Amino acid sequence: MPSFDIVSEFDQHEATNAVDQANREVQSRFDFKGVDANFRLEGDSVHLEADVDFQLKQMLDVLRNRLIARGIDARCMDANEPELSGVKARQTVALKQGLDAAEAKDIVKRIKASKAKVQAQIQGEKVRVTGKKRDDLQGIMALLRSEEGPDLPLQFDNFRD
């Protein structure tokens, strides 16, 4: 039977490249001349550091644009509140990967509400969808990509016919 997996992940190497490009862009921008501002990638989180809060907002936009340019959905960014100390402003942006239980249940609920002749099962950090016809599966993909779908960066992997 045809099936596919719904996952939420990004390419770690592309994230590294996006952070490197964002660092180069901040170093070369005129409004950041003489400012000690940088990005640091550690695991699945990016640490932003600048002199003031306003610069952090600009850096967040630069990071978002670089991630989009590298093919990473910007919805995977989860920005924490900025930490303001006397001399520096810091912010951590988590890059979310995987579906948690609540998100997976929401996806299954949306699939069942569509009344399509498919079955959806939660398998760890992914949702497997199976059906008798390929067209039904493609309809589910279109539903999840549409405006009615969840506000998550979803990819469809492991399509089997």
Side-chain angles (χ1 to χ4, degrees):
M1 272 190 4
S3 67
F4 69 91
D5 295 334
I6 303 170
V7 296
S8 178
E9 56 190 26
F10 61 89
D11 187 5
Q12 187 68 32
H13 186 67
E14 291 296 331
T16 303
N17 290 340
V19 169
D20 290 342
Q21 285 179 343
N23 262 326
R24 282 195 298 272
E25 182 174 336
V26 165
Q27 300 300 324
S28 66
R29 280 181 48 164
F30 179 75
D31 53 344
F32 281 93
K33 288 286 185 210
V35 175
D36 185 27
N38 60 14
F39 297 92
R40 203 173 65 251
L41 180 67
E42 292 180 3
D44 283 345
S45 62
V46 180
H47 300 282
L48 288 69
E49 187 173 311
D51 290 343
V52 292
D53 182 35
F54 176 71
Q55 292 169 341
L56 284 179
K57 291 178 184 173
Q58 290 178 324
M59 290 173 66
L60 198 59
D61 287 338
V62 169
L63 179 63
R64 182 176 291 114
N65 291 336
R66 293 296 114 211
L67 287 173
I68 291 171
R70 301 299 299 186
I72 298 174
D73 197 331
R75 292 179 290 186
C76 74
M77 291 176 51
D78 184 22
N80 296 338
E81 289 296 317
E83 302 168 8
L84 304 173
S85 64
V87 181
K88 289 284 183 187
R90 292 178 183 86
Q91 187 172 15
T92 303
V93 177
L95 300 176
K96 296 187 296 183
Q97 217 168 226
L99 296 172
D100 62 7
E103 293 167 341
K105 285 180 184 178
D106 181 51
I107 290 172
V108 170
K109 185 177 87 174
R110 289 173 192 264
I111 291 172
K112 289 186 181 198
S114 72
K115 303 283 187 198
K117 296 183 179 180
V118 297
Q119 294 81 38
Q121 306 168 347
I122 300 172
Q123 295 181 341
E125 291 188 345
K126 62 184 177 181
V127 176
R128 166 126 339 137
V129 180
T130 57
K132 289 186 179 180
K133 296 181 182 176
R134 181 190 308 188
D135 293 339
D136 294 337
L137 297 179
Q138 290 172 341
I140 295 299
M141 287 181 191
L143 170 79
L144 294 175
R145 285 186 183 127
S146 71
E147 294 294 322
E148 294 86 34
D151 190 28
L152 298 169
L154 298 177
Q155 293 84 33
F156 306 105
D157 284 350
N158 204 14
F159 191 89
R160 310 249 173 165
D161 203 10

